[in-house]
Amino acid sequence: MVMVSQLIGDDPAAALLHARAARQRAGRIAVVRETAGIAAYHAGEWAEALSELRAARRMAGGPGLLSVMADCERGLGRPERAIELGRSDEARQLTGDDASELRIVVAGARMDMGQYDQAVVTLQTPDLEGDRTGSAAARLYYAYADALVAAGRADDGVQWFLRAAAADVEGETDAEDRVDELTGQ
């Protein structure tokens, strides 16, 4: 499990091998299955990730990791299932950054299906108000900007990419590059 956490950022395939080994030894422990699911997700093994995360949730309960599961559905080419997860009773239990992350995934699923205006609406929440900073805010602003551009509202999108860049204190997004791209600089 320690090796999974050390390798997941740089070598997700190796992290997944360690997670599989842990699962073989302790497959009835929820955190082991959750770790295996997260490692599979980072390695792009969507079906395996979904299976492991479902098993972890059956063991431990709660609405956690719903956004990762929805993103796995997108990875498997099933955006409609990602949207269904976003409408579930469990999704309504999510708050804060967890709820925002699920909205980002559901908006992405809507965009996968060409439903750009619905993606914009999905992201319109009170979390867009104010000048928040940090990774969660930057990701939400970025997703909103991306949806606006996809919906044909490039000028509004530029403004939200600028907000995403200002919120992105960790430098996780390419919001500044998107602004340059959209403004022709």
Side-chain angles (χ1 to χ4, degrees):
M1 299 277 288
V2 172
M3 289 304 296
V4 173
S5 66
Q6 289 180 350
L7 292 170
I8 202 156
D10 297 325
D11 191 352
L16 180 55
L17 292 174
H18 285 280
R20 287 174 178 160
R23 183 188 64 220
Q24 288 175 341
R25 290 170 180 79
R28 293 181 184 229
I29 299 174
V31 71
V32 172
R33 299 300 287 271
E34 182 177 312
T35 301
I38 292 169
Y41 174 80
H42 283 275
E45 297 292 338
W46 314 121
E48 181 178 353
L50 193 55
S51 175
E52 293 299 327
L53 294 171
R54 284 179 178 155
R57 289 182 47 159
R58 280 192 303 274
M59 294 172 172
L65 299 172
L66 200 57
S67 61
V68 178
M69 293 172 64
D71 208 25
C72 289
E73 293 288 6
R74 287 183 65 207
L76 291 168
R78 302 185 303 221
E80 66 284 344
R81 289 191 184 174
I83 293 168
E84 287 174 27
L85 282 172
R87 292 180 180 157
S88 69
D89 291 336
E90 294 167 317
R92 286 187 273 286
Q93 295 175 23
L94 296 175
T95 59
D97 292 346
D98 292 333
S100 288
E101 191 63 33
L102 182 57
R103 278 193 296 278
I104 291 168
V105 173
V106 170
R110 293 261 183 218
M111 289 174 51
D112 293 345
M113 297 171 65
Q115 300 172 354
Y116 307 116
D117 291 327
Q118 292 94 328
V120 170
V121 171
T122 297
L123 294 166
Q124 290 175 336
T125 67
D127 291 336
L128 290 175
E129 297 171 10
D131 289 325
R132 298 175 29 220
T133 60
S135 179
R139 288 180 44 72
L140 178 62
Y141 298 163
Y142 187 98
Y144 189 58
D146 201 35
L148 287 167
V149 170
R153 298 170 53 190
D155 290 340
D156 292 334
V158 167
Q159 296 307 310
W160 281 96
F161 278 126
L162 288 169
R163 287 188 70 182
D168 191 3
V169 294
E170 301 290 325
E172 295 178 18
T173 70
D174 66 346
E176 291 177 3
D177 294 337
R178 293 292 304 273
V179 170
D180 291 344
E181 172 188 313
L182 290 167
T183 60
Q185 294 182 8

